Amino acid sequence: MTTVAAVDCGTNSIRLLILRATEDGAPEELCRQVRLARLGQGVDATGEFHPDALERAFAICEEFATIIDELGAERVRFVATSAARDVSNRHLFFGGVRQRLGVDVDVITGDEEARLSAAGVRGGVEAPQPVLVIDIGGGSTELVVVEGDEVQLATSLNIGAVRVHERYLHNDPPTDAQQEAARAFIGGLLDGSDVDFDRIETAVGVAGTVTSVAARVLGLQEYSRDAIHGAALSREDVMGANAHWMATPVASIETEPCMHPLRAGVIGAGSLILDEISARVPGGEIIVSETDILDGIALGLLG
């Protein structure tokens, strides 16, 4: 039986999924892990990976290498997205990953990132179509329109939680003027995309920003993948979460249940992006999916 390991390295998090093909061909999940690395720290301003960010990322790679070895994965794919596309010193990152995991970093385009996210969602969510898949990362946001089994549109926008936070939200908490500037930037890119929001029947959100909003709305004291997957966030839920985080100092956000300290600093920016998307979706509702690009990568390895 084939065992594969997929690693998704984003601007904020690094995640691992190990699947095994059973005798009947169905994928069996052996391991799923997520760690916050904040690899995109300072990238928007300096164009380089920060030494502290590289140190965090390499420590996670060492941990994942041990797990991959213990579970006997024959195929490993390490996919990097927005942060690794933007930096001038990425050779340091590439070398460190190869040294620890024995594979090359596969820096994918925004279009492939969007399509892999859609593939992961299609494997775990059934909903009225057309479906808009929303993947808010640290450096970029992927929007994918799926109808039938076909991807009708896939676009990557340079609006991510880390990027927006570092570029616009300088105060803690951000001022009204900073929020307005960030919204104008986000809204301009959304309105300039080719997505026809009026046609969307279902909006499905993936990744840490959306799941963090869901955890807050559901009042979870401990993170529960089962509780979050399939949760429906109303327009009011999204607006309320964003308003709360925009008005709360990061030190207080860090103490909230299910909130990682490295996400606390950028969750306001992420929820602001989600709020602007929700405002454009008919009805404003966002369905939360725990299956995403990571699942798409792993399923692709299994063929």
Side-chain angles (χ1 to χ4, degrees), residues 284-298:
E285 183 179 79
I286 309 291
I287 306 298
V288 185
S289 172
E290 281 279 10
T291 59
D292 56 19
I293 185 175
L294 184 63
D295 300 78
I297 298 165

Side-chain angles (χ1 to χ4, degrees), residues 26-261:
E28 175 189 5
E29 183 175 313
L30 302 183
C31 176
R32 188 184 293 263
Q33 301 287 335
V34 58
R35 300 289 183 269
L36 273 292
R38 193 76 181 276
L39 186 60
Q41 174 187 346
V43 164
D44 190 57
T46 67
E48 294 185 345
F49 284 132
H50 192 284
D52 292 347
L54 288 172
E55 183 178 349
R56 291 191 296 266
F58 292 155
I60 294 167
C61 288
E62 290 172 1
E63 178 189 359
F64 284 179
T66 299
I67 298 171
I68 290 168
D69 183 62
E70 289 176 349
L71 293 178
E74 296 106 333
R75 301 178 192 165
V76 180
R77 187 182 184 193
F78 189 105
V79 169
T81 53
S82 179
R85 289 196 293 264
D86 297 340
V87 296
S88 60
N89 65 340
R90 59 183 183 175
H91 63 282
L92 298 176
F93 177 56
F94 291 177
V97 171
R98 168 157 276 286
Q99 178 183 350
R100 291 161 175 83
L101 287 170
V103 296
D104 290 326
V105 175
D106 187 0
V107 181
I108 61 174
T109 65
D111 284 347
E112 185 179 359
E113 182 178 356
R115 293 176 190 280
L116 285 170
S117 293
V121 169
R122 287 203 306 271
V125 175
E126 293 185 5
Q129 300 180 12
V131 173
L132 173 65
V133 179
I134 306 154
D135 185 351
I136 300 172
S140 64
T141 291
E142 278 59 56
L143 300 176
V144 189
V145 178
V146 180
E147 196 162 6
D149 290 327
E150 299 295 327
V151 173
Q152 301 296 326
L153 172 70
T155 186
S156 180
L157 305 176
N158 281 328
I159 44 175
V162 175
R163 192 185 301 273
V164 169
H165 170 78
E166 292 185 350
R167 189 175 294 186
Y168 292 100
L169 307 179
H170 304 300
N171 286 42
D172 181 21
T175 65
D176 289 344
Q178 289 168 359
Q179 294 180 52
E180 290 171 6
R183 284 188 183 276
F185 173 64
I186 295 164
L189 289 181
L190 290 173
D191 293 338
S193 73
D194 293 326
V195 176
D196 184 354
F197 290 99
D198 291 337
R199 287 191 63 245
I200 300 304
E201 290 290 336
T202 308
V204 178
V206 302
T209 289
V210 179
T211 57
S212 295
V213 174
R216 174 173 177 78
V217 169
L218 294 171
L220 299 183
Q221 295 303 301
E222 294 183 357
Y223 195 86
S224 170
R225 179 179 169 85
D226 291 339
I228 285 175
H229 185 67
L233 303 176
S234 69
R235 179 79 188 103
E236 291 73 22
D237 290 334
V238 175
M239 293 172 64
N242 176 247
H244 165 73
W245 284 321
M246 284 288 95
T248 304
V250 171
S252 296
I253 298 174
E254 289 176 348
T255 67
E256 295 180 6
C258 307
M259 184 61 65
H260 191 287

